Amino acid sequence: MGWRRTDCLAKPLSGLFEKLGSSVGSHPFFFLVIPLILSAALGGGFTFLKDREDNDLERQFTPRKGPSKTARAFVRENFPNNDSVFSEDRLYDNGNFASIIAVPTDGSNILANPAFEDILRLNDEILNITVDNGRLGFNELCVKANGECVSNVILDIIRANETDQSTKIIYPEHTYGSNLAFLGSVLGGVITDANNSVISAQAVKLFYYLESKESLAESSKLWLRAFKALLSTETEDKYIDVSYYTSKSKQEEIDSHTTDGFPLFLITYASAITFSVISCLRTDNVRNKLWVAVFGVLSSGLAILSSFGLLLYFGVPFVITVANCPFLILGIGLNNMFILVSDWQHTNVNDPVPKRMAHSYKEAVMSITITALTDVFKFFIGFMSDFPSVQSFCLYTGTSIIFCYIYTITFFGAFLALNGRREASNRHWLTCMKIPSDNSPSHPKIYNICCVGGDYDKHTGAEKKQPASNFFKDYFGPFLNKPWVKGGVIFLYVVYLAASIYGCTQVQQGIELHDLAADNSHVTRFNLKDREYFTDYGPTVMIIVNEEFPYWDKTKRNQLQACIGNFKRLPFVDEDVYISWLHSYLLYGQERHLNLDDKDVFLKNLPEFFDLFPFFKQDVNLTANAIYASRFFIQTVDMANASMEVQMLNGLKTTAERCRAASLLFYNREFIFFDQYGVVISSTIKNVIVFTAAMLVISLLLIPNPLCSLWVTLSIGSVTAGVTGFMALWNVTLDSISMIVFTVCIGFTVDFSAHVTCAFVSSKKSDPDDKAVEALSNLGYPILQGGLSTILGVSALAVSGFHTFRTFFKIFFLVMLFGMVHGIVFTPVILTLFTCRSEKNLKETSKNETFHVSKL
């Protein structure tokens, strides 16, 4: 059974666009000037750009309602920092600090001289940094414990060993005086003997903690700047290579590079103008479309100016991710331009300009509208993201697409009409002087080349097709319709899907912190060194009992300890490195023969225990006669990359949920940034599903053939699978940055297939093979132009010094490549095989039935 044409909204919309085209053709100056005035007015919003910049890492690049933010609020309320005792593992936020990683330049032992002497000399220089005209130094600004600055324990241990050569450094936990020091986070590349005594180490990490009091905030900021200035100019270290970092580094790095994409954008615009001009050049001095190409690029620029200015007026935050938006809009605008110009060239050159514009709009604006609707809808879906940075990006981009669409059918259309008037008067493309339309033997050859034009196809009345269009009509289309070629295309499509699905299974999730910084940044150097030398031990994790619990009840206590034991047995946890106030208190009770199964005895002896072990006092919220919260600590290991961090979070979450003895939370201050792992995949899948469903509805309404609409929808999944799979094979991980670009890609997956499908369905040809050839003849070259111009436009990002921009290039390159292949190879073949074959059969069946009836 064949599908009947169901015009739904397509026919009335086509009529509306036809009237709009006629109006633009009749009054081009009005449609040209209004967008210019509007852009000038809205462009004033850029004066607020500096005020609207907001690249706060936590606020913009972490989920708005991340579980770690909830856990941090609980820790801050129940376990406030203690001024008399300092423990890095017990901090609920990073505070103010500076850090260095030192490695020997010759690969020798960093703990031996002369490398260690360089470390001591550099440490002294850092401690002597002063600010406020020398009034405040590290001793005045440092975090103090019992009145003394918190020191680097590894330096204290080694200095002590210099006086007592018999003392060995035990790794990872070393007893120093009455304290147990964990060295896993300060020594890297450690080699030990059978007794865990350190033989050598390849790296040392030192920390300098500053007070976070508001009264010292400005002075602490100045000290950190002085620290950076010292380390960036340090040249006296002969035996060590030093990387440095501060608590402000990531944020300062992001803030300083927010607008670094604009120079690349200028390069992109220059490249796009050049490519567009070359694509629109004609040897005919009247039909030359050079200025049309320039105004097509200008139309995209005005859309960006207007949309950005409007949102800046309204106070929408400008995040660094928004800097990717102009590249997208340029690609969309150029694609629209090539589609509209292609339809203009198929109109009769002898018709009045309004009639030609009406015909062009009737055919082209429908497919442009479909892609614009889907793109805008997709970005407003993305606005519901958990990430504020994604929300800002989607709002800026969605608004820009609306302006791009409006300016394409007004501003650009108006210039196309004015250019049509010039052509109708047979005027030269550069001088606008009237020139003869035919070559004359009496004229010099050079005159016929540069001063004659206006030729057209006398059979069709339309402009002569370009060689590229003839290639699609005379060679590529018929070649694609050969049965053996169709079989090869289907086989290639199956191979493509198989490779894509395999790649999808290889997708890695997670973001490296240095990916948010420039390649040559001190932040990148520090984080790479940290990954290289300090991955044996990961973050120390708090396991928090976030409810009132009867620790004196032996049965329930054993159940709780069993839950903690499950955490300790996780594959990424060191079972031997464990801090538990409860375990220590039970040992304390055994030594003193206390019956800690009795509530009164348990609570009565806690204060004395805390006096002996003040660190543990920070781990228990004891109020009146109840313990409302407490925490324990486990040590993670082998955090070699972001994928391991994802596994760690999943394992901790599963183990916490499985505990029935008590309600448990887990927390480390770095987990604030790890929360994205829990929502990136789910958000991406949700966006794909919602957008695909919406695309099916839009296609059914605007494309008068259900099976063709279904293929347009399926192409979303096909291209998305390809981009995801090959993204993984190109070493692009799935994180908040790639998710933004991926959100972009979802909409562009449909553009090329939608254009070809619309042309296929609207073709008056009866045979599906002929429909495919006509669709390729009309749109094959514009699709190739749009895709290649976009790839050329974003190619400037490939050499960017920022991971964000390079990721954008990789994903968008894959989108354009696979989109073009689907548009001009897979879609025509699949449409001829499945979509409209039934229509042909229906017509043949009807003819046969009529023939048999007439015979009877």
Side-chain angles (χ1 to χ4, degrees):
M1 178 180 178
W3 289 99
R4 300 177 184 276
R5 288 178 58 89
T6 54
D7 289 339
C8 296
L9 294 177
K11 188 172 182 179
L13 280 178
S14 293
L16 180 64
F17 294 143
E18 187 175 14
K19 292 178 181 178
L20 175 62
S22 178
S23 297
V24 173
S26 301
H27 311 284
F29 287 104
F30 174 80
F31 289 96
L32 188 74
V33 172
I34 294 300
L36 288 173
I37 296 174
L38 183 62
S39 297
L42 294 178
F46 274 86
T47 58
F48 299 101
L49 179 60
K50 280 295 178 184
D51 297 331
R52 305 293 188 251
E53 286 182 9
D54 183 2
N55 290 302
D56 184 272
L57 276 173
E58 180 178 323
R59 184 165 55 248
Q60 295 294 342
F61 295 94
T62 62
R64 194 182 297 275
K65 297 180 180 179
S68 293
K69 292 180 179 178
T70 303
R72 180 179 61 185
F74 185 85
V75 172
R76 182 189 290 118
E77 180 182 353
N78 289 272
F79 311 108
N81 294 336
N82 192 322
D83 291 337
S84 61
V85 179
F86 176 82
S87 171
E88 177 188 351
D89 298 332
R90 290 173 168 83
L91 297 176
Y92 53 76
D93 59 24
N94 284 323
N96 292 325
F97 73 90
S99 180
I100 64 170
I101 294 177
V103 298
T105 54
D106 59 359
S108 60
N109 182 10
I110 190 69
L111 302 179
N113 292 329
F116 194 72
E117 287 180 344
D118 265 0
I119 293 177
L120 293 177
R121 182 195 55 76
L122 180 59
N123 178 67
D124 290 339
E125 289 186 21
I126 292 172
L127 296 180
N128 288 326
I129 294 175
T130 59
V131 295
D132 289 346
N133 298 320
R135 292 188 304 107
L136 297 175
F138 183 74
N139 287 334
E140 289 74 31
L141 299 173
C142 67
V143 170
K144 294 180 175 63
N146 297 318
E148 297 290 333
C149 287
V150 175
S151 61
N152 283 288
V153 67
I154 184 62
L155 299 184
D156 297 337
I157 291 172
I158 295 175
R159 283 167 175 161
N161 282 7
E162 290 177 353
T163 59
D164 184 3
Q165 298 293 330
S166 64
T167 303
K168 299 292 185 180
I169 301 176
I170 307 301
Y171 184 85
E173 291 184 308
H174 180 84
T175 302
Y176 174 59
S178 60
N179 299 319
L180 186 65
F182 179 70
L183 304 181
S185 59
V186 295
L187 284 182
V190 177
I191 298 176
T192 61
D193 60 20
N195 298 318
N196 290 331
S197 297
V198 175
I199 298 174
S200 66
Q202 291 181 295
V204 166
K205 187 191 294 185
L206 303 181
F207 290 92
Y208 304 89
Y209 289 97
L210 305 179
E211 282 285 1
S212 298
K213 297 177 182 177
E214 287 190 17
S215 59
L216 297 175
E218 192 60 34
S219 297
S220 295
K221 187 183 296 186
L222 292 174
W223 192 93
L224 291 176
R225 288 178 184 171
F227 170 87
K228 285 178 59 178
L230 171 66
L231 271 295
S232 62
T233 57
E234 179 64 33
T235 58
E236 296 182 24
D237 302 320
K238 298 179 181 178
Y239 304 102
I240 58 173
D241 177 43
V242 179
S243 304
Y244 62 95
Y245 183 80
T246 76
S247 53
K248 309 293 184 185
S249 289
K250 285 201 297 275
Q251 189 61 61
E252 290 173 350
E253 183 73 10
I254 294 291
D255 290 340
S256 64
H257 296 295
T258 302
T259 56
D260 281 7
F262 288 126
L264 292 175
F265 183 54
L266 295 177
I267 296 173
T268 295
Y269 251 65
S271 302
I273 291 175
T274 303
F275 181 85
S276 301
V277 166
I278 293 174
S279 298
C280 292
L281 282 177
R282 306 288 186 268
T283 55
D284 191 298
N285 291 296
V286 172
R287 308 299 174 196
N288 198 340
K289 302 289 191 295
L290 184 148
W291 295 116
V292 171
V294 172
F295 272 74
V297 177
L298 180 60
S299 175
S300 299
L302 292 178
I304 294 165
L305 182 67
S306 298
S307 57
F308 278 35
L310 176 65
L311 294 176
L312 289 170
Y313 272 129
F314 280 106
V316 178
F318 188 90
V319 190
I320 191 171
T321 52
V322 176
N324 289 311
C325 173
F327 302 97
L328 297 178
I329 303 307
L330 177 60
I332 294 172
L334 290 180
N335 192 41
N336 292 345
M337 177 192 77
F338 289 129
I339 296 295
L340 198 52
V341 169
S342 175
D343 271 282
W344 166 267
Q345 291 176 154
H346 288 90
T347 60
N348 193 315
V349 298
N350 295 314
D351 286 340
V353 168
K355 185 176 181 180
R356 295 186 69 184
M357 290 295 295
H359 184 274
S360 300
Y361 272 47
K362 180 181 179 181
E363 298 296 332
V365 177
M366 176 61 75
S367 60
I368 292 174
T369 301
I370 292 175
T371 57
L373 279 176
T374 55
D375 288 341
V376 170
F377 185 78
K378 166 202 62 185
F379 282 109
F380 285 123
I381 290 174
F383 183 70
M384 297 184 292
S385 169
D386 294 321
F387 294 88
S389 59
V390 178
Q391 290 180 327
S392 293
F393 174 80
C394 289
L395 187 56
Y396 272 93
T397 308
T399 307
S400 297
I401 291 173
I402 293 174
F403 275 97
C404 185
Y405 173 76
I406 294 172
Y407 286 177
T408 296
I409 62 179
T410 56
F411 176 79
F412 176 72
F415 185 80
L416 188 63
L418 290 174
N419 189 72
R421 290 184 178 183
R422 178 190 60 77
E423 291 182 8
S425 300
N426 221 68
R427 295 179 181 274
H428 195 279
W429 68 271
L430 181 61
T431 64
C432 284
M433 300 290 291
K434 282 192 174 184
I435 58 176
S437 58
D438 298 316
N439 292 334
S440 172
S442 62
H443 293 149
K445 186 175 182 180
I446 187 66
Y447 180 86
N448 288 329
I449 293 175
C450 69
C451 299
V452 173
D455 197 9
Y456 62 94
D457 190 324
K458 302 300 189 296
H459 298 289
T460 63
E463 294 183 25
K464 288 186 175 181
K465 284 183 175 282
Q466 298 303 301
S469 296
N470 288 329
F471 167 78
F472 280 98
K473 179 182 179 181
D474 299 332
Y475 300 100
F476 185 77
F479 174 76
L480 207 60
N481 282 331
K482 295 181 183 294
W484 66 271
V485 175
K486 290 183 179 180
V489 169
I490 296 300
F491 175 76
L492 180 64
Y493 184 63
V494 171
V495 171
Y496 158 81
L497 284 181
S500 300
I501 293 170
Y502 169 76
C504 289
T505 65
Q506 306 300 309
V507 171
Q508 299 293 316
Q509 189 184 356
I511 186 171
E512 300 288 353
L513 294 180
H514 60 260
D515 287 341
L516 296 174
D519 293 344
N520 59 355
S521 164
H522 71 279
V523 175
T524 301
R525 289 190 62 223
F526 183 90
N527 280 288
L528 290 175
K529 292 289 185 184
D530 195 47
R531 280 293 191 200
E532 182 178 359
Y533 294 105
F534 294 94
T535 56
D536 289 345
Y537 290 91
T540 302
V541 180
M542 302 179 196
I543 306 300
I544 306 159
V545 181
N546 65 329
E547 64 181 11
E548 184 179 346
F549 188 85
Y551 297 90
W552 46 86
D553 186 318
K554 186 174 182 179
T555 300
K556 292 185 177 180
R557 184 174 69 228
N558 289 338
Q559 292 173 349
L560 176 61
Q561 289 181 310
C563 289
I564 302 300
N566 291 335
F567 281 100
K568 292 167 63 178
R569 284 188 291 274
L570 289 171
F572 50 81
V573 173
D574 188 335
E575 193 168 356
D576 297 326
V577 182
Y578 171 58
I579 301 174
S580 168
W581 70 271
L582 182 59
H583 177 72
S584 299
Y585 188 42
L586 293 176
L587 292 177
Y588 171 85
Q590 287 179 3
E591 292 175 359
R592 285 161 176 73
H593 306 290
L594 301 175
N595 180 19
L596 296 183
D597 296 337
D598 181 87
K599 177 179 179 180
D600 293 334
V601 175
F602 191 99
L603 295 174
K604 180 181 178 181
N605 288 275
L606 269 178
E608 183 181 342
F609 170 72
F610 290 149
D611 289 339
L612 289 173
F613 304 98
F615 276 110
F616 289 138
K617 188 175 183 179
Q618 300 179 74
D619 299 334
V620 180
N621 180 357
L622 176 62
T623 305
N625 289 324
I627 299 176
Y628 290 98
S630 73
R631 59 183 174 182
F632 311 90
F633 297 86
I634 57 175
Q635 180 60 53
T636 59
V637 294
D638 299 328
M639 293 293 114
N641 50 50
S643 295
M644 289 298 300
E645 293 167 352
V646 175
Q647 295 178 30
M648 173 187 66
L649 284 184
N650 291 337
L652 292 172
K653 181 181 179 182
T654 301
T655 306
E657 291 173 346
R658 218 166 6 198
C659 180
R660 297 291 178 263
S663 174
L664 300 181
L665 298 174
F666 57 90
Y667 178 72
N668 178 281
R669 57 191 181 278
E670 296 298 332
F671 288 1
I672 296 293
F673 296 95
F674 295 173
D675 277 347
Q676 61 171 293
Y677 302 152
V679 297
V680 165
I681 291 181
S682 60
S683 295
T684 304
I685 293 174
K686 179 188 73 175
N687 287 344
V688 172
I689 292 174
V690 173
F691 176 72
T692 302
M695 185 61 225
L696 178 60
V697 173
I698 293 172
S699 298
L700 288 172
L701 290 174
L702 299 182
I703 299 178
N705 186 298
L707 282 177
C708 291
S709 301
L710 181 61
W711 165 248
V712 171
T713 306
L714 291 176
S715 69
I716 298 174
S718 178
V719 180
T720 300
V723 172
T724 305
F726 284 85
M727 177 181 83
L729 299 177
W730 206 351
N731 297 321
V732 177
T733 59
L734 189 59
D735 53 47
S736 57
I737 294 173
S738 56
M739 186 185 76
I740 292 173
V741 187
F742 199 83
T743 301
V744 173
C745 121
I746 297 171
F748 284 93
T749 55
V750 73
D751 286 7
F752 297 129
S753 295
H755 288 317
V756 172
T757 302
C758 281
F760 187 96
V761 172
S762 62
S763 172
K764 300 299 188 291
K765 304 287 186 182
S766 59
D767 186 87
D769 288 348
D770 294 338
K771 285 174 174 282
V773 171
E774 184 176 32
L776 286 171
S777 173
N778 293 338
L779 289 174
Y781 184 47
I783 284 176
L784 204 60
Q785 285 177 305
L788 292 178
S789 62
T790 305
I791 290 175
L792 181 65
V794 299
S795 61
L797 301 179
V799 297
S800 170
F802 288 88
H803 166 81
T804 303
F805 291 144
R806 290 198 302 273
T807 297
F808 182 91
F809 164 75
K810 290 180 179 181
I811 296 181
F812 210 62
F813 173 81
L814 292 175
V815 171
M816 289 296 108
L817 177 63
F818 293 151
M820 284 192 296
V821 172
H822 275 70
I824 62 179
V825 179
F826 295 149
T827 294
V829 169
I830 290 175
L831 289 179
T832 57
L833 289 177
F834 299 102
T835 303
C836 294
R837 179 67 63 184
S838 55
E839 287 187 5
K840 180 183 178 186
N841 292 341
L842 180 65
K843 291 176 182 178
E844 290 178 351
T845 302
S846 299
K847 289 179 181 179
N848 290 336
E849 289 176 352
T850 303
F851 174 73
H852 287 303
V853 169
S854 63
K855 283 184 68 177
L856 290 173

